[in-house]
Amino acid sequence: MNIILLGPPGAGKGTQSAMLVEERGMRQLSTGDMLRAAVKAETEVGLRAKAVMERGELVSDEIVSALIDAELAAMGPETGAIFDGYPRTEAQARALDEILASHDRQLDFVIELEVDEDALVDRITGRFTCARCGEGYHDRYKLPRQEGTCDKCGSHEFKRRPDDNEETVRTRMAEYRAKTAPILPLYDARGIVRRVDGMAAIDAVKQGVDAILD
Ligand code: AMP
């Protein structure tokens, strides 16, 4: 099974991916995570991507498609892939078709998480994660049960993404509207797009996703 989770920043792609990974043994391929790791490690790709990401603009198609290709090459054929935050442009969508074909895979579904953009700024600017295990939290909607301690792994260190500020979020939304939303008709024409209400509670969104995949 190979699926794309599509939706603007803050729609819940990462949250839903994490649950699919845990319950279905699929693999999350998040170009955002890969790029953040490259920035942290100060690789050549990271050095090129850092400023672009801080502005909320898109990194070049070649860079992200190469990252995806390398990850798929390292995966066993039986492991399903969840594309999270990729493709984000028409050129990436075309590249993904070629990459999948070269790895004998095909796309099963594109799941669009439909959300209200105004609510997203509120969601994104409050989010933070455990620095050790990556568990996601939110200042207003999901604080750790015990203040300052991760529910999942007990760590006391948390982090926030530098691009989760209002100004950058607005740019990321504009990029989504201008470059990513237009790839949906491509997949609609193939009859593989499914839509889920991304404004619902996390569990309800998950049920919607499960109903598509089961
Ligand atoms: P994300 O974690 O998916 O919100 O991505 C964070 C940032 O990484 C984006 O705002 C872009 O600057 C960059 N990025 C991630 N994925 C892509 C992609 N598929 N194409 C271009 N830039 C990307």
Side-chain angles (χ1 to χ4, degrees), residues 31-32 35-36 53 57 59 64 85-86 88 92 161 172:
T31 41
L35 290 167
R36 278 184 289 279
M53 292 172 75
E57 294 167 8
V59 173
V64 290
Y86 177 92
R88 258 177 159 96
Q92 291 177 26
R161 283 172 48 169
R172 288 159 62 199

Side-chain angles (χ1 to χ4, degrees), residues 76-196:
E78 68 293 336
T79 305
I82 308 158
F83 297 99
D84 162 8
Y86 177 92
R88 258 177 159 96
T89 64
E90 222 173 295
Q92 291 177 26
R94 278 196 298 272
L96 179 60
D97 282 340
E98 284 177 23
I99 292 168
L100 285 171
S102 76
H103 295 290
D104 283 325
R105 288 173 180 264
Q106 63 171 30
L107 206 50
D108 296 283
F109 296 110
V110 175
I111 301 179
E112 185 192 7
L113 298 176
E114 293 183 299
V115 282
D116 161 17
E117 270 196 27
D118 288 335
L120 292 184
V121 176
D122 177 55
R123 266 196 199 179
I124 293 183
T125 53
R127 69 185 182 181
F128 61 99
T129 55
C130 170
R132 192 200 290 164
C133 75
E135 181 72 358
Y137 294 97
H138 196 282
D139 292 327
R140 292 174 290 284
Y141 311 122
K142 189 193 164 194
L143 283 166
R145 283 193 292 272
Q146 190 185 330
E147 197 185 334
T149 305
C150 176
D151 297 345
K152 205 168 171 186
C153 76
S155 165
H156 300 297
E157 281 187 44
F158 297 88
K159 61 181 182 183
R160 287 175 196 267
R161 283 172 48 169
D163 60 348
D164 276 352
N165 61 79
E166 177 154 0
E167 191 190 345
T168 309
V169 169
R170 298 269 178 212
T171 306
R172 288 159 62 199
M173 302 277 182
E175 290 282 65
Y176 180 82
R177 243 178 282 123
K179 296 174 185 161
T180 309
I183 67 181
L184 267 165
L186 244 151
Y187 294 123
D188 250 333
R190 296 185 204 168
I192 57 171
V193 178
R194 303 287 182 273
R195 295 184 165 85
V196 174

